[in-house]
Amino acid sequence: MRCLVLVAVVGCTSTPPHWHVDGGALRDPDGRAAILRGVNLSGTQKMAPYLDGKTAADYARIRTDWGMNAIRFVMTWAAVEPVEGQYDDAYLDAVAERLGWAHDAGLVAVLDMHEDVYGVGFGFDGAPRWACDEARYAAFTPTDPWFFANFDPNVEACVDELYTTREKQFVAAWRHVAEKLAHSPAVIGFDVLNEPGWGSYGEAVFEHDRLAPLYRDVVAEVRGAAPDWVAFLEPSSSRNAGFSTKLTAFDFADVMYAPHSYDSNAEMGSGFDPTHRQQILDNVADLAEEAKNLHAGLWIGEYGGVATSPGIVDYMTAQYDAAGAAAASTMYWAYDDGGYGFTNTDGSERQPLTDTLILEAHNGDNPP
């Protein structure tokens, strides 16, 4: 009889409702499918002092003025662990404060551990300087365009270390972030690593051999502290060049596929060619199919363009039309001034970019 009672009690045990992924869709705690329209906040936070000058009013502006419902909150490993083995909890407390502003504004947040060209030792963002040999930094030669620097052998060597000798430290840093921010009501998930590079490893087998194991380790550690966070997982950065992901379905639940969507010509400064509209539609449709194969929903963590670039309205409209056809969530890069930013240095909106984005956000689903 005691066994019967015990079984009955265990059978009634349930966990509180939370954000999750089911049926290929991100769902809110009530089980409703949710499409996130939002912005990266912000590009400025990639570099020291790692916190921009945004205030609670700026977070409210995203929701009330621009009609968006989410942010991708930009962080870096260098900000979290500036000295080896020492976490900057004052920084994380400041992050928690900003996430409180997001919650008060009615926004949900996905934490992004950003990285470009490995880290600060190469003059970029991501890994702390201590996370590679100083000789690698000294031998590095900058390139133009900047992203070709990823193929410098010194950068490749440091990236290789991330997946081998430095992996445990990176995983531990994510665990600490989760422990500090697990109770922030704004946070629904985490983007493990921005545009992962493969270093000197074979690109064709990188996702299977190195990236997927890293994801498994980080997700397990993060969920030890924040069990309800959704995992937003990116393909290799080679996906930006049109190479289909080789990731396969994960053996853990609540995964969103988190690629980026840019037009290569526009990225090279040529402006957007309207004849490329169909390419964008087709590419996002392919991303949606990849998400389906991963048993995941589709969340485009970055898209964007220069406000003064030719064809910017056509470009952003194509991106939104593509995302709408795939029922994908989208995060604009970024809430900054100049370049790809929403605003001018005086805080005014950059036109016609902002009007286009605001119109599309208001035409999307209402915030959850």
Side-chain angles (χ1 to χ4, degrees), residues 19-28 31-36 108 110 188 230 232 254-256 296-299 327 329:
W19 285 82
H20 58 284
V21 179
D22 185 52
L26 178 67
R27 297 184 182 274
D28 71 9
R32 299 172 299 179
I35 294 177
L36 303 183
V108 296
V110 176
I188 66 168
V230 174
F232 291 75
D254 297 332
V255 173
M256 292 293 286
L298 178 58
W299 179 84
S329 295

Short mmCIF file of all heavy atoms in Angstrom, two decimals, residues 19-28 31-36 108 110 188 230 232 254-256 296-299 327 329:
data_model
loop_
_atom_site.label_atom_id
_atom_site.label_comp_id
_atom_site.label_asym_id
_atom_site.label_seq_id
_atom_site.Cartn_x
_atom_site.Cartn_y
_atom_site.Cartn_z
N TRP A 19 9.36 28.80 -20.18
CA TRP A 19 9.60 28.88 -21.61
C TRP A 19 10.21 27.56 -22.08
O TRP A 19 11.07 26.98 -21.41
CB TRP A 19 10.54 30.03 -21.92
CG TRP A 19 9.86 31.37 -21.83
CD1 TRP A 19 9.62 32.09 -20.70
CD2 TRP A 19 9.33 32.13 -22.92
NE1 TRP A 19 8.97 33.27 -21.01
CE2 TRP A 19 8.78 33.31 -22.37
CE3 TRP A 19 9.27 31.94 -24.29
CZ2 TRP A 19 8.18 34.30 -23.16
CZ3 TRP A 19 8.68 32.90 -25.09
CH2 TRP A 19 8.13 34.07 -24.52
N HIS A 20 9.77 27.09 -23.24
CA HIS A 20 10.23 25.81 -23.74
C HIS A 20 10.04 25.76 -25.25
O HIS A 20 9.50 26.69 -25.86
CB HIS A 20 9.48 24.66 -23.06
CG HIS A 20 8.00 24.71 -23.25
ND1 HIS A 20 7.18 25.59 -22.56
CD2 HIS A 20 7.16 24.01 -24.05
CE1 HIS A 20 5.92 25.42 -22.91
NE2 HIS A 20 5.88 24.47 -23.83
N VAL A 21 10.51 24.67 -25.85
CA VAL A 21 10.37 24.46 -27.29
C VAL A 21 9.56 23.19 -27.50
O VAL A 21 9.87 22.14 -26.94
CB VAL A 21 11.74 24.35 -27.98
CG1 VAL A 21 11.57 24.10 -29.49
CG2 VAL A 21 12.55 25.61 -27.75
N ASP A 22 8.53 23.29 -28.31
CA ASP A 22 7.69 22.14 -28.59
C ASP A 22 7.06 22.31 -29.97
O ASP A 22 6.64 23.41 -30.33
CB ASP A 22 6.59 22.00 -27.52
CG ASP A 22 5.77 20.73 -27.71
OD1 ASP A 22 6.36 19.64 -27.82
OD2 ASP A 22 4.53 20.82 -27.77
N GLY A 23 7.02 21.22 -30.73
CA GLY A 23 6.41 21.29 -32.05
C GLY A 23 7.10 22.27 -32.98
O GLY A 23 6.45 22.88 -33.84
N GLY A 24 8.41 22.44 -32.82
CA GLY A 24 9.16 23.34 -33.69
C GLY A 24 8.95 24.81 -33.39
O GLY A 24 9.30 25.66 -34.21
N ALA A 25 8.40 25.13 -32.21
CA ALA A 25 8.13 26.52 -31.87
C ALA A 25 8.59 26.83 -30.45
O ALA A 25 8.51 25.99 -29.55
CB ALA A 25 6.63 26.81 -31.99
N LEU A 26 9.08 28.05 -30.28
CA LEU A 26 9.34 28.58 -28.93
C LEU A 26 7.99 28.86 -28.29
O LEU A 26 7.12 29.48 -28.91
CB LEU A 26 10.17 29.86 -29.03
CG LEU A 26 10.49 30.56 -27.71
CD1 LEU A 26 11.42 29.71 -26.84
CD2 LEU A 26 11.13 31.93 -27.99
N ARG A 27 7.82 28.42 -27.05
CA ARG A 27 6.53 28.59 -26.39
C ARG A 27 6.71 29.24 -25.02
O ARG A 27 7.68 28.96 -24.30
CB ARG A 27 5.82 27.24 -26.24
CG ARG A 27 5.51 26.61 -27.60
CD ARG A 27 4.72 25.33 -27.50
NE ARG A 27 4.51 24.77 -28.85
CZ ARG A 27 3.50 25.12 -29.64
NH1 ARG A 27 2.60 26.00 -29.22
NH2 ARG A 27 3.39 24.59 -30.85
N ASP A 28 5.75 30.11 -24.68
CA ASP A 28 5.78 30.78 -23.39
C ASP A 28 5.29 29.82 -22.31
O ASP A 28 4.90 28.68 -22.60
CB ASP A 28 4.97 32.08 -23.45
CG ASP A 28 3.47 31.87 -23.53
OD1 ASP A 28 2.99 30.72 -23.39
OD2 ASP A 28 2.76 32.87 -23.74
N GLY A 31 2.27 27.81 -22.91
CA GLY A 31 2.25 26.90 -24.05
C GLY A 31 1.94 27.56 -25.37
O GLY A 31 1.84 26.88 -26.40
N ARG A 32 1.81 28.88 -25.38
CA ARG A 32 1.49 29.58 -26.62
C ARG A 32 2.76 29.76 -27.46
O ARG A 32 3.82 30.13 -26.94
CB ARG A 32 0.90 30.95 -26.32
CG ARG A 32 -0.40 30.93 -25.54
CD ARG A 32 -0.81 32.32 -25.12
NE ARG A 32 0.18 32.94 -24.26
CZ ARG A 32 0.07 34.17 -23.76
NH1 ARG A 32 -0.99 34.92 -24.08
NH2 ARG A 32 1.01 34.67 -22.97
N ALA A 33 2.67 29.51 -28.76
CA ALA A 33 3.80 29.76 -29.65
C ALA A 33 4.12 31.25 -29.65
O ALA A 33 3.22 32.09 -29.72
CB ALA A 33 3.48 29.29 -31.05
N ALA A 34 5.40 31.58 -29.54
CA ALA A 34 5.82 32.98 -29.45
C ALA A 34 6.84 33.29 -30.52
O ALA A 34 7.80 32.52 -30.72
CB ALA A 34 6.42 33.26 -28.07
N ILE A 35 6.65 34.38 -31.22
CA ILE A 35 7.64 34.88 -32.17
C ILE A 35 8.26 36.13 -31.57
O ILE A 35 7.56 37.09 -31.25
CB ILE A 35 6.99 35.19 -33.54
CG1 ILE A 35 6.50 33.88 -34.18
CG2 ILE A 35 8.00 35.87 -34.46
CD1 ILE A 35 5.79 34.07 -35.49
N LEU A 36 9.57 36.10 -31.40
CA LEU A 36 10.28 37.22 -30.81
C LEU A 36 10.75 38.17 -31.90
O LEU A 36 11.36 37.74 -32.88
CB LEU A 36 11.47 36.72 -29.99
CG LEU A 36 11.16 35.72 -28.87
CD1 LEU A 36 12.42 35.39 -28.10
CD2 LEU A 36 10.07 36.24 -27.94
N VAL A 108 11.67 40.10 -22.92
CA VAL A 108 12.39 38.89 -22.52
C VAL A 108 13.80 38.98 -23.11
O VAL A 108 14.04 39.71 -24.08
CB VAL A 108 11.67 37.61 -22.98
CG1 VAL A 108 10.32 37.49 -22.31
CG2 VAL A 108 11.54 37.55 -24.50
N VAL A 110 17.65 36.97 -24.12
CA VAL A 110 18.52 35.83 -24.37
C VAL A 110 19.95 36.33 -24.17
O VAL A 110 20.36 37.31 -24.80
CB VAL A 110 18.35 35.28 -25.80
CG1 VAL A 110 19.34 34.15 -26.07
CG2 VAL A 110 16.92 34.81 -26.03
N ILE A 188 15.15 34.12 -20.66
CA ILE A 188 14.50 32.88 -21.06
C ILE A 188 15.49 31.88 -21.65
O ILE A 188 15.15 30.72 -21.84
CB ILE A 188 13.36 33.13 -22.07
CG1 ILE A 188 13.92 33.68 -23.40
CG2 ILE A 188 12.32 34.07 -21.48
CD1 ILE A 188 12.89 33.68 -24.53
N VAL A 230 16.17 28.06 -22.07
CA VAL A 230 16.20 27.48 -23.41
C VAL A 230 17.61 27.67 -24.00
O VAL A 230 18.22 28.74 -23.83
CB VAL A 230 15.15 28.16 -24.31
CG1 VAL A 230 15.27 27.68 -25.76
CG2 VAL A 230 13.74 27.89 -23.76
N PHE A 232 19.88 28.39 -27.04
CA PHE A 232 19.90 28.98 -28.38
C PHE A 232 21.28 28.66 -28.98
O PHE A 232 22.29 29.22 -28.55
CB PHE A 232 19.66 30.49 -28.31
CG PHE A 232 18.26 30.85 -27.90
CD1 PHE A 232 17.85 30.71 -26.57
CD2 PHE A 232 17.34 31.33 -28.83
CE1 PHE A 232 16.56 31.05 -26.18
CE2 PHE A 232 16.05 31.67 -28.45
CZ PHE A 232 15.65 31.52 -27.12
N ASP A 254 14.44 21.50 -25.51
CA ASP A 254 14.32 22.96 -25.47
C ASP A 254 15.50 23.65 -26.15
O ASP A 254 16.27 24.39 -25.52
CB ASP A 254 14.16 23.45 -24.02
CG ASP A 254 12.88 22.94 -23.39
OD1 ASP A 254 11.91 22.69 -24.14
OD2 ASP A 254 12.84 22.79 -22.16
N VAL A 255 15.61 23.40 -27.46
CA VAL A 255 16.68 23.98 -28.27
C VAL A 255 16.06 24.86 -29.36
O VAL A 255 15.12 24.47 -30.03
CB VAL A 255 17.53 22.88 -28.94
CG1 VAL A 255 18.52 23.49 -29.93
CG2 VAL A 255 18.26 22.06 -27.88
N MET A 256 16.61 26.06 -29.50
CA MET A 256 16.32 26.93 -30.63
C MET A 256 17.55 26.99 -31.52
O MET A 256 18.67 27.18 -31.02
CB MET A 256 15.94 28.32 -30.17
CG MET A 256 14.62 28.41 -29.43
SD MET A 256 13.17 28.07 -30.47
CE MET A 256 13.10 29.59 -31.46
N ALA A 296 14.10 21.76 -33.54
CA ALA A 296 14.24 23.06 -32.88
C ALA A 296 13.35 24.10 -33.56
O ALA A 296 12.88 23.89 -34.68
CB ALA A 296 15.70 23.51 -32.92
N GLY A 297 13.15 25.20 -32.87
CA GLY A 297 12.55 26.36 -33.50
C GLY A 297 13.63 27.22 -34.14
O GLY A 297 14.83 26.99 -33.93
N LEU A 298 13.24 28.22 -34.93
CA LEU A 298 14.21 29.08 -35.62
C LEU A 298 14.20 30.48 -35.03
O LEU A 298 13.16 31.14 -34.97
CB LEU A 298 13.88 29.14 -37.11
CG LEU A 298 14.78 30.04 -37.97
CD1 LEU A 298 16.25 29.62 -37.87
CD2 LEU A 298 14.32 30.01 -39.43
N TRP A 299 15.36 30.92 -34.60
CA TRP A 299 15.58 32.24 -34.00
C TRP A 299 16.80 32.83 -34.70
O TRP A 299 17.91 32.33 -34.51
CB TRP A 299 15.81 32.08 -32.51
CG TRP A 299 16.08 33.30 -31.69
CD1 TRP A 299 15.18 34.17 -31.15
CD2 TRP A 299 17.38 33.73 -31.19
NE1 TRP A 299 15.82 35.12 -30.38
CE2 TRP A 299 17.16 34.86 -30.39
CE3 TRP A 299 18.68 33.26 -31.37
CZ2 TRP A 299 18.20 35.55 -29.75
CZ3 TRP A 299 19.72 33.94 -30.74
CH2 TRP A 299 19.47 35.06 -29.95
N ALA A 327 7.99 31.75 -39.93
CA ALA A 327 7.57 31.93 -38.53
C ALA A 327 8.78 31.97 -37.61
O ALA A 327 8.79 31.40 -36.52
CB ALA A 327 6.60 30.84 -38.10
N SER A 329 11.78 33.90 -35.30
CA SER A 329 12.07 35.05 -34.47
C SER A 329 13.32 35.74 -35.01
O SER A 329 14.18 35.10 -35.62
CB SER A 329 12.30 34.62 -33.02
OG SER A 329 11.13 34.08 -32.45
#
